[in-house]
């Protein structure tokens, strides 16, 4: 205050200020503390600086207000979680390719959460977030349609035996249901049909730089997260899906700086028809927060051992990708993409405004196809012979439950018999009625006329279900009831 008033008195003596102006200026309060220097987008600022240290000014595409709001959101979300759990977010305009917000960590200076690590650039396992692209390739290759059927069951493909997240199986489902439920075995069966190498090649077209074990060919485990990608990679792939299969480079770099494009030429990532089908399926997932966030296509992912929780989604303009986990790769038991990343994803879309930009319209041939029944050759997904389960060639078959399934019917709760027990539903395919049913070798008193049996078990444990039709054909499954 003394220094300021001294300057004001000199200004008065020099005739620069009038006496009234000087008195008024001296009456103004003086700040009692220093204000923090701006600290927005520190990871991206650091990256821009290290990329061109000689430049004194770096022009980026980040939206200042949105970046500040999302950094605040990220800090609020991770504060409720134990250290060193962190989170990262990318928001991009997939129409222009501009990244408008990029949060590498909620607080760069928080050493307890390893805030210096930019998790938008860290290579991690994507969990199930690559499944939509497997289905897209299957639709493009004519392997199936969203309404085509596939059997979710225990499989063994050259020794690879994937299981579902909940260790149970759903039996015969449509491809739409299989993707929305994020079932593992259908995704693996479809990836075997389209080929892991083809999936990797298509991801590279979109600008994704997948990290695979050196000198090892891509395998079926890719469908469940057996490949390394970054959060920026994931946003890049979903941006191409949102654009009808046309890749675009996502960048924070404006025209006066150099950015190396990772998009390979002008080749499509997916056909427009396949992209729309996948987007339509993902739009059918629960819109978890409010009507203002409707019409978002999204997918979750949880890496093996709960190491990474993901969510990626888009509307007609923006693509958003979210990661939650520990930067050091340690598991966070029980943390999934649905529980940890999806709430952040939807709050990000709310920050983008209450009105969603509509998705692309369905291609004309897709609209016509939706009005007709599924062609007979595509009633079941056209899988390799080792996986094909078309009931027309298999005779009598128990479609549900699949052999080896574990079914939670509520027979016990915390080791105590439950009073709310669900029945076991057995569904058949093929064969000729009437059907004889044996439970653990003992025939039921009445024969079945329909292709569905509802049976009330008397206790938990392994149960063998055998069905015979009037022609003597039979099928048998063994399931574990809980």
């Amino acid at each position: 205050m003394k220094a300021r008033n001294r300057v004001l008195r000199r200004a008065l003596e020099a005739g620069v200020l009038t006496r009234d102006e000087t008195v008024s200026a001296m009456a103004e309060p003086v700040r009692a503390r220093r204000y923090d220097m701006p600290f927005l987008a520190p990871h991206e600022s650091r990256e821009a600086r290290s990329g061109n240290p000689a430049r004194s000014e770096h022009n980026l595409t980040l939206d200042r207000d949105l970046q500040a709001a999302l950094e605040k959101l990220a800090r609020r979300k991770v504060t409720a979680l134990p250290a060193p759990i962190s989170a990262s977010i990318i928001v991009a305009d997939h129409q222009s390719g501009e990244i408008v917000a990029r949060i590498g960590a909620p607080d760069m200076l928080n050493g307890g959460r390893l805030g210096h690590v930019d998790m938008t650039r860290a290579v991690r396992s994507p969990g199930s977030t690559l499944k939509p692209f497997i289905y897209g390739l299957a639709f493009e290759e004519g392997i199936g349609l969203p309404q085509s059927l596939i059997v979710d069951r225990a499989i063994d493909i050259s020794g690879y035996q994937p299981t579902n997240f909940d260790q149970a199986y759903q039996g015969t489902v449509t491809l739409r249901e299989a993707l929305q439920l994020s079932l593992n075995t259908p995704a693996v069966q479809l990836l075997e049909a389209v080929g892991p190498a083809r999936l990797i090649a298509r991801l590279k077209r979109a600008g994704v730089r997948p990290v695979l074990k050196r000198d090892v060919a891509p395998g079926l485990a890719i469908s469940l997260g057996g490949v390394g990608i970054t959060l920026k990679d994931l946003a890049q792939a979903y941006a191409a899906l949102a654009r009808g299969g046309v890749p675009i480079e996502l960048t924070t770099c404006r025209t006066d700086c150099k950015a190396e494009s990772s998009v390979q030429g002008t080749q499509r990532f997916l056909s427009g028809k396949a992209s729309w089908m996948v987007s339509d399926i993902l739009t059918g997932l629960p819109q978890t927060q409010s009507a203002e966030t409707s019409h978002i296509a999204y997918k979750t992912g949880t890496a093996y051992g709960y190491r990474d929780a993901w969510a990626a989604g888009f509307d007609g303009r923006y693509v958003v990708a979210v990661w939650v986990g520990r930067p050091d790769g340690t598991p966070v038991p029980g943390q999934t993409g649905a529980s940890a990343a999806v709430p952040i994803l939807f709050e990000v879309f709310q920050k983008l405004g209450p009105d969603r930009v509509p998705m692309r319209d369905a291609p004309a041939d897709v609209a016509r196809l939706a009005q007709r029944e599924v062609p007979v050759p595509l009633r079941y997904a056209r899988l390799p012979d080792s996986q094909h389960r078309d009931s027309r060639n298999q005779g009598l078959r128990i479609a549900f439950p699949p052999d080896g399934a574990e079914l939670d019917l509520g027979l016990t709760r915390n080791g105590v018999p439950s009073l709310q027990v669900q029945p076991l539903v057995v569904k058949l395919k093929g064969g000729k009625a009437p059907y004889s049913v044996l439970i653990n070798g003992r025939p039921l008193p009445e024969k079945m006329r329909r292709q569905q049996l509802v049976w009330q078990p008397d206790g938990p444990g392994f149960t063998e279900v055998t069905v015979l039709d009037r022609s003597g054909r039979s099928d048998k499954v063994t399931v574990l009831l809980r």
Side-chain angles (χ1 to χ4, degrees):
M1 183 184 293
K2 290 179 180 179
R4 181 199 66 181
N5 291 345
R6 184 168 60 249
V7 172
L8 290 174
R9 282 194 295 270
R10 290 179 61 189
L12 174 63
E13 294 170 0
V16 176
L17 296 177
T18 67
R19 180 168 297 278
D20 289 343
E21 288 172 334
T22 303
V23 171
S24 175
M26 286 185 175
E28 292 180 3
V30 177
R31 282 194 324 216
R33 64 180 178 86
R34 290 181 181 270
Y35 287 94
D36 293 334
M37 291 290 288
F39 202 64
L40 282 176
H43 297 89
E44 199 60 26
S45 301
R46 180 179 64 186
E47 187 71 18
R49 174 77 177 176
S50 63
N52 192 346
R55 180 181 287 275
S56 60
E57 182 178 302
H58 299 268
N59 259 328
L60 303 181
T61 62
L62 302 180
D63 181 304
R64 181 187 183 281
D65 293 340
L66 180 64
Q67 178 77 22
L70 296 187
E71 287 184 10
K72 184 178 179 180
L73 168 64
R75 284 193 293 271
R76 173 167 58 84
K77 288 294 186 180
V78 301
T79 299
L81 302 170
I85 294 177
S86 184
S88 58
I89 303 170
I90 285 183
V91 183
D93 183 334
H94 59 70
Q95 295 178 357
S96 65
E98 292 186 348
I99 295 176
V100 294
R102 185 166 184 166
I103 294 95
D107 185 355
M108 188 183 198
L109 302 182
N110 189 333
R113 296 187 186 272
L114 304 178
H116 64 284
V117 181
D118 183 352
M119 294 308 299
T120 67
R121 292 178 168 87
V123 177
R124 308 297 287 238
S125 165
S128 296
T129 56
L130 300 185
K131 285 178 181 175
F133 311 121
I134 298 173
Y135 283 77
L137 281 173
F139 296 151
E140 182 178 298
E141 296 296 320
I143 292 170
L145 297 170
Q147 307 94 314
S148 298
L149 300 174
I150 193 169
V151 182
D152 176 35
R153 60 187 177 85
I155 59 174
D156 185 334
I157 304 176
S158 301
Y160 182 50
Q161 300 176 334
T163 58
N164 285 325
F165 187 77
D166 60 0
Q167 302 297 314
Y169 300 97
Q170 299 296 318
T172 302
V173 294
T174 64
L175 295 187
R176 175 183 293 274
E177 292 169 335
L179 179 53
Q180 290 180 339
L181 294 172
S182 196
L183 301 177
N184 287 347
T185 66
V188 173
Q189 294 176 66
L190 290 175
L191 183 58
E192 186 197 22
V194 301
R198 180 173 295 177
L199 174 63
I200 292 295
R202 290 300 184 91
L203 289 173
K204 289 181 178 179
R205 280 191 195 179
V208 176
R209 295 169 176 171
V211 177
L212 296 162
K213 194 172 181 179
R214 184 174 297 179
D215 300 326
V216 176
L220 297 177
I222 292 173
S223 57
L224 308 184
V227 63
I229 66 170
T230 67
L231 189 68
K232 198 264 185 177
D233 286 333
L234 195 63
Q236 190 87 31
Y238 275 80
L241 183 62
R243 290 167 50 84
V246 179
I248 188 171
E249 177 69 26
L250 301 183
T251 180
T252 56
C253 191
R254 289 203 185 275
T255 54
D256 61 347
C257 61
K258 297 179 181 179
E260 180 184 355
S261 176
S262 57
V263 174
Q264 294 186 352
T266 58
Q267 290 183 302
R268 272 187 168 273
F269 171 54
L270 283 174
S271 69
K273 178 178 176 180
S275 297
W276 187 90
M277 287 179 175
V278 173
S279 301
D280 181 60
I281 292 172
L282 298 182
T283 307
L285 290 172
Q287 307 288 318
T288 59
Q289 292 205 339
S290 70
E292 286 135 0
T293 55
S294 61
H295 308 300
I296 295 173
Y298 72 98
K299 181 71 181 73
T300 64
T302 305
Y304 177 77
Y306 299 100
R307 285 175 171 81
D308 305 277
W310 306 79
F314 56 87
D315 64 4
R317 181 177 179 184
Y318 293 105
V319 60
V320 178
V322 177
W323 171 89
V324 180
R326 289 180 49 144
D328 60 8
T330 302
V332 184
Q335 181 174 271
T336 66
S339 65
V342 166
I344 299 176
L345 178 86
F346 276 88
E347 286 201 40
V348 170
F349 272 106
Q350 287 180 331
K351 298 290 186 185
L352 293 170
D355 299 323
R356 299 272 62 80
V357 178
M359 298 287 189
R360 291 170 172 262
D361 293 333
D365 53 347
V366 175
R368 288 193 299 269
L369 183 64
Q371 298 173 358
R372 302 197 303 263
E373 292 185 3
V374 179
V376 173
L378 292 178
R379 184 185 173 202
Y380 277 79
R382 299 165 63 182
L383 302 173
D385 292 340
S386 61
Q387 298 299 325
H388 193 59
R389 293 293 301 269
D390 192 327
S391 63
R392 294 172 300 161
N393 299 324
Q394 296 290 333
L396 175 65
R397 180 167 58 85
I398 298 176
F400 183 86
D403 189 36
E406 295 185 20
L407 305 176
D408 186 358
L409 304 181
L411 291 165
T412 59
R413 288 288 181 267
N414 299 321
V416 179
S418 172
L419 298 178
Q420 297 179 339
V421 178
Q422 300 178 27
L424 172 64
V425 178
V426 179
K427 298 181 180 180
L428 307 181
K429 290 287 184 181
K432 297 180 180 180
Y435 304 97
S436 300
V437 181
L438 293 85
I439 304 294
N440 293 326
R442 296 182 179 180
L444 296 183
E446 295 185 5
K447 292 188 176 183
M448 294 169 51
R449 294 287 176 180
R450 301 172 56 193
Q451 289 190 321
Q452 179 170 305
L453 166 69
V454 179
W455 174 71
Q456 195 71 41
D458 55 8
F462 286 98
T463 301
E464 182 183 270
V465 180
T466 305
V467 180
L468 300 91
D469 73 354
R470 72 182 187 191
S471 301
R473 288 173 292 192
S474 66
D475 196 13
K476 177 176 67 176
V477 297
T478 300
V479 295
L480 177 58
L481 305 183
R482 297 189 184 279

